[in-house]
Amino acid sequence: MQLDPDRTALVVVDMQNGFCHPDGSLYAPGSEAVVEPIADLLERSREAGVRVVFTRDVHPPEQFDGNRHYDEFDRWGEHVLEGSWEAEVVDELVVESDDHVVEKHTYDAFYNTELEGWLDARGLDQLVFTGTLANVCVLHTAGSAGLRDFRPIVVEDCVGAIEPDHHEYAVEHADWLFAEAVTADELAFG
Ligand code: ZN
């Protein structure tokens, strides 16, 4: 798959200590396992001039107080609290000054954030998705991108999951419904 660097953004979803570091409250080995593959793809993308977007899941402690139904703390326990070490991107994936960092508060990085406007303003409509969790924030963000008329591409060997069948399901579902699934090796920029 050949992608035009001028229209492409590499999106790194939620590769934070809380999910990818063994001391994180929602650590999954499957999330840690994709740190290195993402680092490699990041390097290739930067060399080609592809813009990079990092999303960070961040929750103020009181975020879900008073919600009727949506309560991530009820489902997962408290995680990636605003200002915490957990909420930081893992050290191995270096955020550079030219990168865009999106603080998201739900599974969908487009919901109540400036991401869509940031991409539109730069003419970036080809979105290469990496990160974790495959069946949660990657799936919901890539799906949201598809509904917003972006072209979502899911890099199957650069998305992490708690269970292998979660990964398989998410990649197949995305590929079937709104996105294209590729491996990192299949991607070329230029
Ligand atoms: Zn969350």
Side-chain angles (χ1 to χ4, degrees), residues 133-190:
L133 289 162
N135 60 326
V136 186
C137 292
V138 173
L139 187 64
H140 280 274
T141 299
S144 187
L147 302 187
R148 292 161 201 270
D149 199 30
F150 292 95
R151 178 190 182 190
I153 296 146
V154 176
V155 188
E156 53 190 274
D157 48 348
C158 289
V159 292
I162 296 172
E163 302 285 350
D165 63 328
H166 293 177
H167 180 277
E168 186 181 359
Y169 163 76
V171 170
E172 284 185 7
H173 180 73
D175 192 51
W176 177 66
L177 192 58
F178 54 78
E180 296 153 88
V182 298
T183 61
D185 281 349
E186 291 172 321
L187 278 176
F189 305 109

Side-chain angles (χ1 to χ4, degrees), residues 10-78:
L10 177 68
V11 184
V12 182
V13 177
D14 295 6
M15 290 298 288
Q16 298 159 262
N17 291 322
F19 307 121
C20 304
H21 191 287
D23 294 335
S25 65
L26 293 180
Y27 169 70
S31 298
E32 187 181 20
V34 294
V35 170
E36 282 307 315
I38 292 173
D40 292 344
L41 184 56
L42 258 175
E43 190 177 345
R44 279 209 288 134
S45 302
R46 293 191 197 285
E47 283 170 9
V50 171
R51 297 299 302 268
V52 176
V53 174
F54 283 91
T55 76
R56 292 170 62 230
D57 197 37
V58 174
H59 300 298
E62 70 285 358
Q63 181 185 338
F64 305 109
D65 293 357
N67 275 17
R68 288 166 301 172
H69 305 294
Y70 191 86
D71 188 343
E72 290 190 26
F73 291 171
D74 184 45
R75 176 157 296 272
W76 302 95
E78 284 195 352

